[in-house]
């Protein structure tokens, strides 16, 4: 029996004057963000845009002939995992064993750990999850003989341990993890195939860090990376290194140039190939970094109804201490800032439930822990007043989600119709 989810005043953004509330009863309250029913700041997800994005990305993957394993680290929300699985996702990707455990507890049964696993605590945790759930399939990344040695040493001390399914990761010079050269990759593949500890299920890469928003540059970069992936995969297949009896996984995962890798995820390898795309940020998209990249992607693909910005953080203007400056009651504890500062998108004057587009001249120029600095030229434009509300767009949804334990889902008039919880 599933324990009902209960919201309470212990959660940031939940009214302190209200008693604990079962999530199932939230919509009946008819709370509205712009009616002052909840304290600000508050991160919200727009329902229509959310549902559009989930459906759009699944349809895109299907149209490319590949499967989707969305990166769950973006939201760490079981309710959102379920929406993605219900839409047709093959499984969910995670970055850590702890994240995987959250997914497994919520019903995920096929998962990619898009990261190297090598610590004894993580190996023991993964082994325990696999032992408890006979229907659970997990693959993780391997990129070095040193990592293999750590795993093999751990397994030698166990009375009973699983054979781990792994993907060989191809990396880039100066980038993140992954093998750098073809000879290194092939030597590692041979070791994985020969070792009784591993089952080499396929090959993987991550292209996201190289995205620039320049189609010519990005196309050349992605083509070169995927050519390396395919070349290593073909040689591995020819040498019999893949241990998959049914299909070989070829996977890539990023949210900025997924169109440039999706078409290369089904090389001919003599066995069926499961192309697996792992984009994650698409589920809410954003108003900054990914919006810029995906606008260019839409031009390449001639999309007319692409991803929509679904995540906003609403904040109160608490002070206007000098001309051209307003201080908002929102800061680094509430909103992402790792790629770009927030962008003013909406302005709702005091007592208004009808937000207006924020003037283009308004800019967030800095954040403290609990404060944001909104600036404009007072000679050229009017500013907000104390008590006004601003809806801020974000850049990179991952680092906004992790600042909230719950996020209301709102209709386009900002009436709350549902909510999701996160487990970071």
């Amino acid at each position: 029996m599933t324990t009902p989810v209960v919201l309470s005043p212990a959660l940031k953004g939940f009214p302190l004057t209200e008693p604990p509330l079962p999530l199932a009863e939230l919509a009946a309250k008819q709370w509205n963000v712009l009616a002052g029913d909840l304290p600000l700041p508050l991160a919200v997800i727009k329902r229509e845009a959310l549902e559009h994005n989930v459906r759009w990305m699944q349809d895109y993957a299907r149209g490319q002939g590949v499967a989707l394993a969305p990166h769950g680290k973006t939201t760490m929300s079981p309710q959102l995992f379920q929406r993605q699985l219900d839409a047709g996702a093959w499984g969910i990707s995670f970055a850590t064993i702890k994240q995987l455990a959250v997914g497994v507890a919520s019903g995920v049964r096929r998962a990619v750990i898009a990261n190297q696993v090598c610590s004894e605590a993580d190996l023991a945790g993964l082994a325990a999850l696999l032992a408890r759930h006979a229907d659970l399939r997990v693959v993780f990344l391997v990129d070095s003989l040193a990592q293999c040695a750590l795993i093999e040493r751990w397994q030698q001390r166990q009375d009973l341990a699983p054979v781990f399914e792994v993907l060989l990761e191809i990396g880039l010079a100066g980038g993140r993890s992954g093998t750098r050269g073809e000879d290194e990759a092939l030597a590692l593949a041979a070791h994985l195939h020969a070792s009784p500890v591993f089952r080499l299920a396929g090959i993987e890469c991550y292209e996201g860090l190289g995205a620039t928003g320049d189609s010519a540059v990005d196309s050349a970069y992605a083509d070169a990376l995927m050519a390396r992936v395919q070349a290593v995969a073909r040689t591995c297949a020819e040498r019999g290194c893949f241990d998959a009896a049914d299909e070989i996984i070829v996977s890539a995962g990023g949210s900025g140039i997924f169109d440039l890798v999706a078409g290369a995820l089904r090389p001919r390898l003599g066995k069926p190939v499961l192309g697996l795309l792992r984009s994650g940020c698409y589920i809410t998209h954003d108003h900054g970094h990914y919006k810029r990249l995906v606008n260019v992607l839409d031009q390449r693909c001639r999309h007319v109804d692409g991803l929509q910005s679904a995540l906003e953080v609403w904040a109160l203007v608490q002070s206007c201490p000098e001309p051209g400056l307003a201080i908002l009651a929102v800061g680094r504890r509430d909103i992402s800032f790792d790629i770009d500062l927030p962008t003013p998108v909406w302005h709702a004057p005091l007592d208004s439930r009808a937000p207006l587009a924020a003037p283009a001249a308004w800019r967030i120029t800095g954040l403290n822990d609990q404060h944001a600095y909104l600036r404009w030229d007072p000679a050229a434009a009017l500013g907000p007043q104390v008590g006004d509300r601003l809806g801020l767009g974000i850049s990179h949804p991952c680092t906004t989600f992790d600042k909230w334990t719950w996020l209301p889902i709102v209709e386009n008039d900002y009436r709350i119709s549902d909510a999701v919880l996160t487990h970071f």
Side-chain angles (χ1 to χ4, degrees):
M1 182 175 179
T2 303
T3 303
V5 175
V6 176
L7 307 173
S8 79
L11 303 177
K12 180 173 68 172
F14 191 89
L16 289 172
T17 55
E18 293 287 333
L21 176 71
L23 177 57
E25 299 176 14
L26 177 62
K29 298 291 286 187
Q30 294 287 297
W31 285 340
N32 190 296
V33 175
L34 300 185
D37 293 326
L38 294 93
L40 301 182
L42 185 67
V44 303
I45 303 172
K46 289 189 166 180
R47 179 187 60 80
E48 290 187 9
L50 171 71
E51 293 178 354
H52 168 87
N53 292 346
V54 171
R55 181 177 61 252
W56 188 96
M57 194 64 181
Q58 189 64 52
D59 288 346
Y60 176 82
R62 188 177 297 114
Q64 293 293 311
V66 301
L68 190 63
H71 216 320
K73 74 174 177 62
T74 297
T75 69
M76 283 309 299
S77 171
Q79 290 105 325
L80 295 180
F81 299 163
Q82 194 59 54
R83 285 177 181 253
Q84 292 169 312
L85 292 170
D86 288 346
W90 174 89
I92 302 293
S93 295
F94 299 99
T96 68
I97 300 300
K98 174 62 176 176
Q99 292 175 3
L100 170 68
V102 171
V104 171
S106 69
V108 173
R109 289 299 178 265
R110 288 193 290 205
V112 177
I113 303 292
N115 211 351
Q116 278 66 37
V117 177
C118 54
S119 80
E120 294 193 356
D122 283 344
L123 293 167
L126 176 55
L129 287 170
L130 292 169
R132 286 198 296 267
H133 303 280
D135 58 343
L136 176 62
R137 183 184 184 189
V138 180
V139 296
F140 65 83
L141 309 190
V142 174
D143 73 347
S144 70
L145 293 173
Q147 180 191 359
C148 292
L150 289 174
I151 297 170
E152 290 163 344
R153 186 178 69 179
W154 173 83
Q155 194 167 55
Q156 288 172 359
R157 299 196 302 271
Q158 310 307 310
D159 293 331
L160 185 64
V163 175
F164 292 118
E165 274 200 281
V166 297
L167 301 177
L168 189 157
E169 182 173 23
I170 302 297
L172 292 159
R176 213 156 62 183
S177 51
T179 58
R180 294 325 200 222
E182 185 170 339
D183 290 344
E184 176 190 359
L186 294 174
L188 179 57
H191 179 90
L192 291 168
H193 174 63
S195 173
V197 174
F198 303 103
R199 180 172 178 263
L200 182 57
I203 193 164
E204 181 275 348
C205 69
Y206 171 61
E207 78 286 354
L209 292 179
T212 67
D214 181 316
S215 279
V217 172
D218 291 345
S219 295
Y221 155 75
D223 288 348
L225 174 60
M226 297 313 296
R228 289 180 56 217
V229 169
Q230 291 188 339
V232 172
R234 282 192 293 268
T235 303
C236 286
E238 291 166 1
R239 296 180 180 179
C241 292
F242 291 122
D243 301 308
D246 48 357
E247 60 188 6
I248 298 167
I249 296 173
V250 179
S251 180
S255 294
I257 55 171
F258 52 82
D259 65 311
L260 298 178
V261 299
L265 294 179
R266 295 185 64 193
R268 294 183 179 181
L269 301 179
K271 288 183 178 180
V273 173
L274 173 66
L276 200 55
L277 195 62
R278 304 191 314 274
S279 306
C281 293
Y282 76 87
I283 189 166
T284 58
H285 201 36
D286 70 8
H287 292 82
H289 176 70
Y290 287 111
K291 183 175 182 178
R292 290 192 295 272
L293 291 176
V294 175
N295 282 347
V296 178
L297 182 156
D298 288 340
Q299 294 171 19
R300 284 195 298 265
C301 299
R302 299 183 180 179
H303 296 153
V304 296
D305 187 23
L307 297 174
Q308 300 174 6
S309 304
L311 180 60
E312 299 171 359
V313 178
W314 279 81
L316 186 74
V317 178
Q318 70 176 56
S319 178
C320 295
E322 62 188 60
L325 173 64
I327 304 300
L328 311 185
V330 63
R332 293 172 181 257
R333 301 285 175 88
D334 313 302
I335 196 165
S336 57
F337 56 89
D338 56 313
I339 295 181
D340 298 312
L341 289 172
T343 301
V345 176
W346 301 109
H347 173 215
L350 181 65
D351 297 328
S352 173
R353 293 196 189 187
L356 308 169
W362 291 5
R363 292 284 185 271
I364 300 294
T365 61
L367 295 173
N368 299 143
D369 287 352
Q370 313 285 176
H371 301 90
Y373 296 76
L374 177 72
R375 297 185 186 275
W376 68 95
D377 180 358
L382 295 174
Q385 303 297 311
V386 172
D388 288 358
R389 287 75 48 81
L390 264 68
L392 302 176
I394 55 92
S395 190
H396 192 197
C398 299
T399 50
T400 290
F401 270 99
D402 66 8
K403 302 179 190 308
W404 295 90
T405 307
W406 77 298
L407 294 89
I409 293 178
V410 300
E411 302 305 306
N412 288 337
D413 63 357
Y414 292 95
R415 175 176 50 86
I416 295 174
S417 56
D418 200 353
V420 300
L421 277 73
T422 67
H423 299 268
F424 284 95

